Amino acid sequence: MQPLRFATAGSVDDGKSTLIGRLLFDARAVQEDQLAAVERASQRRGAAQIDLSLLTDGLEAEREQGITIDVAYRYFATPRRKFIIADGPGHVQYTRNMATGASNADALVLLLDVKEGLKEQTKKHLRIARLLGIRQVVAFLNKMDLVGWSRGAFDAAATDLRAFAALLDLETLDLIPGSALEGDMVVERGPFGETRLGWYRGPTLLERLETLHASTESAAAGPFRFPVQLVSRPQASAGNSAPRGYMGRIESGHVLAGTEVVLLPSGRRSRVRQILTHGTSRELAVAGDSVTLVLADDIDVARGDLIADTANPPREARALEVTLVWLGHEALRPGGRYLVQQGSRRVLTKVQADSPLALNDIGEAHLTLNAPLFVDPYDTVRTTGSLILIDEATNHTVAAGLVK
């Protein structure tokens, strides 16, 4: 199976870092030196037992304050699958960091304190994740140990969450009761699973994560999109000049040797003469593959250009309607000039928003571009449907945009 990228989300103190620490610990994905360092840090904080949240809270400020600030990326594997985790913060002021972690994720692990119920920040995280194209959500209803493992408490929280999620058009929503602190339903069912949570017969968190599909699996069915990252000359046979090759990663769809493609922005057409991986020719490549494409015609193609499907090309746009997640400390300047970056292409734009946008706000905006971009709706192709706004004066990224 393809590696699964998943992000964590939820309100502050719901237990995200403890859950991921427990997941890594019980899956035996923690090195001995890491565990020893966490044990020492736990003792310095006066903890009676090892604080598993410290496995992901890597910044000194995080360890001192007991909170998550930055996105912590962790990697682990089971016999069935490999995983990449983006453990995001819950605090309101770090919402943009949570959005960063979720932007490349295939699925969301949503933490909910079963005793506290559904909070506004939890709702905001779920809306952002859906906005970023995540449609697989596993909700871990945490701290069941604090409500006596009560099915009634679980059902009440689950009812509220299902009602809110029904508005978001999710593909899957799984609700799992458990305790990150005690370990119940994270990797194992728990030492007293039949007495504590014997009423729950569904999978553990890890069991469910092992069965979710990666975005590259669904992306392979989309329209062919190949952003050019580098122009190269593959090794030529003796006596022949080397053909020009275009290197990159297939972001959507698939391509066969002999397929007709369109090159953007020039609009010229050609055929794929050869598909190379590490110098070896192949007949087919799909979304997620990094390859070199050799075309039948010698056409001037540069980094940042796009090779695409002729039957279903992206839309050429000089104006865009987008949803913006504002990341800048300074608010949006209405009518202000910014740089739009899509992949490695940059163009100037003027921005008009429907409402004021400040740090962590989400809103709708109209972009007027001074040169065309080639785009798809974000729900169709993430790469050609996403962009960032850059402040010309500071060169700081101030917003992430999703094309409608």
Side-chain angles (χ1 to χ4, degrees), residues 54 111 194 200 275 305-306 322 343 403:
L54 298 178
L111 265 288
E194 287 306 312
Y200 171 74
I275 305 169
D305 288 358
L306 183 68
V322 299
V403 178

Side-chain angles (χ1 to χ4, degrees), residues 19 22-28 78-79 140 149 176-180 182-194 196-197 200 202-208 210:
L19 177 71
R22 170 64 67 182
L23 179 63
L24 295 171
F25 182 77
D26 286 359
R28 297 176 176 82
T78 69
F140 191 84
W149 312 98
I176 300 174
S179 169
E182 300 286 338
D184 296 68
M185 298 300 166
V186 181
V187 173
E188 307 292 341
R189 302 195 72 80
F192 308 101
E194 287 306 312
R196 287 178 169 181
L197 294 170
Y200 171 74
T204 66
L205 175 64
L206 181 59
E207 287 170 344
R208 184 62 182 113
E210 287 180 326

Side-chain angles (χ1 to χ4, degrees), residues 49-360:
Q49 59 186 9
I50 185 171
D51 186 347
L52 294 175
S53 71
L54 298 178
L55 286 170
T56 57
D57 290 339
L59 298 178
E60 183 178 354
E62 293 176 322
R63 295 193 295 269
E64 289 177 351
Q65 300 175 51
I67 62 173
T68 300
I69 298 173
D70 200 6
V71 179
Y73 292 93
R74 294 293 181 268
Y75 311 85
F76 78 104
T78 69
R80 294 190 64 187
R81 195 164 206 177
K82 295 179 181 178
F83 298 93
I84 303 171
I85 311 169
D87 182 29
H91 284 69
V92 173
Q93 62 265 43
Y94 304 125
T95 300
R96 62 178 180 172
N97 293 11
M98 173 269 157
T100 298
S103 61
N104 290 313
D106 305 310
L108 185 76
V109 172
L110 185 73
L111 265 288
L112 188 71
D113 183 334
V114 72
K115 191 175 181 180
E116 297 293 327
L118 190 60
K119 301 174 186 175
E120 284 305 313
Q121 185 67 355
T122 312
K123 293 179 181 179
K124 186 170 188 177
H125 280 190
L126 190 52
R127 284 196 298 266
I128 289 173
R130 181 62 190 92
L131 185 66
L132 292 169
I134 296 176
R135 299 187 65 192
Q136 300 176 106
V137 176
V138 181
F140 191 84
L141 276 62
N142 194 25
K143 305 188 182 183
M144 289 295 298
D145 50 310
L146 299 185
V147 295
W149 312 98
S150 164
R151 182 169 188 171
F154 170 80
D155 288 342
T159 297
D160 289 344
L161 182 54
R162 286 194 184 100
F164 179 74
L167 307 173
L168 301 178
D169 188 30
L170 297 175
E171 182 181 320
T172 61
L173 173 64
D174 297 275
L175 293 93
I176 300 174
S179 169
L181 187 64
E182 300 286 338
D184 296 68
M185 298 300 166
V186 181
V187 173
E188 307 292 341
R189 302 195 72 80
F192 308 101
E194 287 306 312
T195 54
R196 287 178 169 181
L197 294 170
W199 46 267
Y200 171 74
R201 295 297 179 183
T204 66
L205 175 64
L206 181 59
E207 287 170 344
R208 184 62 182 113
L209 291 173
E210 287 180 326
T211 63
L212 296 177
H213 65 78
S215 59
T216 52
E217 295 167 8
S218 55
F224 176 61
R225 301 290 185 266
F226 182 82
V228 175
Q229 295 295 322
L230 187 67
V231 180
S232 69
R233 288 187 177 275
Q235 185 175 357
S237 58
N240 294 324
S241 60
R244 186 179 297 171
Y246 307 105
M247 303 174 68
R249 180 179 184 270
I250 299 176
E251 299 295 343
S252 175
H254 65 276
V255 65
L256 290 159
T259 299
E260 186 182 34
V261 293
V262 60
L263 285 66
L264 301 169
S266 71
R268 293 190 61 182
R269 295 191 175 199
S270 185
R271 292 191 178 274
V272 176
R273 192 177 91 186
Q274 198 173 22
I275 305 169
L276 298 172
T277 304
H278 303 299
T280 302
S281 185
R282 56 194 289 188
E283 291 300 312
L284 170 69
V286 300
D289 289 345
S290 294
V291 297
T292 299
L293 299 184
V294 178
L295 302 181
D297 304 289
D298 188 14
I299 299 175
D300 187 17
V301 178
R303 171 178 164 81
D305 288 358
L306 183 68
I307 301 177
D309 190 342
T310 56
N312 190 6
R315 173 170 63 94
E316 181 178 350
R318 287 186 176 269
L320 289 174
E321 301 297 326
V322 299
T323 301
L324 292 180
V325 180
W326 198 257
L327 310 174
H329 288 286
E330 294 186 5
L332 168 70
R333 304 185 302 273
R337 283 163 56 96
Y338 295 88
L339 286 168
V340 172
Q341 181 161 334
Q342 182 206 42
S344 55
R345 289 180 63 82
R346 284 190 177 188
V347 301
L348 280 169
T349 185
K350 288 186 177 180
V351 183
Q352 293 288 351
D354 292 350
S355 58
L357 291 177
L359 180 63
N360 295 325

